Amino acid sequence: MKNPFRYYKTSPAIIRLAVMMYVRYPLSWRQVEDLLHERGIDVSYETVRAWWNRFGPVFAAEIRKARSVSFHNSPQWRWHLDEVFVRINGEVHYLWRAVDHEGEVLEAFVTKRRDRKAAMKFLKKTMKKYGSPKVIVTDKLRSYQAAMKDIGNVDRQETGRWANNCAENSHQPFRRRERAMIKFRSEKSLQKFVSIHSSIHNHFNLERHLTSRHQFKFNREAALADWRQFAG
């Protein structure tokens, strides 16, 4: 693999830090510029934007590659599917999200509609990557049922009050970022962002409420150490 930093004079560590700040936290490019300035790093917000566009997909691909082994080795027995509306230049689009039983975001997919065709495309794309789960939890949107019927998974679908909280909660980090970014300008930019954001969120999602403080600190250091190695 060629070194992606070979034409950049800036340290790879600084580029990784800037990209992580922008994607992981609800910050603007100018806020990232200010935080880097406090650390004695003088870069323009336009430089941060260029780093994000160039290295965001690279880092996300490295994360997916590193986690793909565990995804295929662990049984996919329960998925949670949900969709939320997102406005792009005043036009409503829909962001579909698939989350596994451990809260890992499997797929984030943007469409203009939420009909049977869109649900079918979303399901096929996710199942092509991760296989077929034993149970798929959804809300009562009829598009899911129609798509499940065409695929032949109607007997695996579950709906119920509060049953899909896992998927609904997975939208919260994105909503915080959406407010900070003051919406999106195109469907392509939204799809790019949610794909990268989901991968990086998975990497740093340490479920601190389920572990002791000591274990959380260990997991956090391990996640940061892995991050520093990505695209190294």
Side-chain angles (χ1 to χ4, degrees), residues 206-217 219:
L206 305 177
E207 298 182 337
R208 61 190 305 165
H209 62 291
L210 300 178
T211 59
S212 64
R213 176 64 180 174
H214 175 76
Q215 185 63 40
F216 167 72
K217 291 170 65 176
N219 293 340

Side-chain angles (χ1 to χ4, degrees), residues 86-198:
V86 183
R87 291 192 180 275
I88 302 176
N89 294 327
E91 184 179 355
V92 175
H93 289 64
Y94 296 94
L95 172 60
W96 305 72
R97 198 184 302 272
V99 181
D100 71 2
H101 59 279
E102 294 182 343
E104 295 280 330
V105 180
L106 301 175
E107 189 69 39
F109 187 59
V110 182
T111 63
K112 290 185 178 180
R113 302 178 182 275
R114 57 171 181 173
D115 53 10
R116 180 191 61 82
K117 185 177 180 180
M120 174 82 73
K121 190 173 182 180
F122 170 59
L123 279 169
K124 285 185 175 180
K125 183 177 182 179
T126 308
M127 293 173 70
K128 183 178 180 180
K129 287 185 179 180
Y130 304 102
S132 181
K134 297 181 179 179
V135 177
I136 300 179
V137 182
T138 70
D139 55 24
K140 296 183 179 180
L141 181 68
R142 293 183 179 180
S143 300
Y144 287 121
Q145 186 176 5
M148 295 284 188
K149 185 178 295 184
D150 288 349
I151 296 176
N153 281 353
V154 177
D155 58 328
R156 301 184 183 184
Q157 183 183 11
E158 288 186 4
T159 59
R161 192 178 185 183
W162 301 310
N164 211 25
N165 284 355
C166 185
E168 293 174 359
N169 290 339
S170 73
H171 294 302
Q172 294 179 7
F174 166 76
R175 285 302 196 193
R176 288 192 288 268
R177 290 299 290 117
E178 181 188 28
R179 287 192 292 270
M181 296 172 70
I182 316 178
K183 309 298 182 180
F184 294 88
R185 300 295 182 268
S186 68
E187 183 178 342
K188 183 178 179 180
S189 66
L190 173 57
Q191 182 64 67
K192 177 181 179 180
F193 180 83
V194 294
S195 298
I196 297 171
H197 182 265
S198 296

Side-chain angles (χ1 to χ4, degrees), residues 30-41:
R30 290 175 174 81
Q31 289 171 329
V32 173
E33 176 187 347
D34 291 341
L35 290 173
L36 292 176
H37 177 73
E38 292 178 6
R39 290 161 172 78
I41 304 169

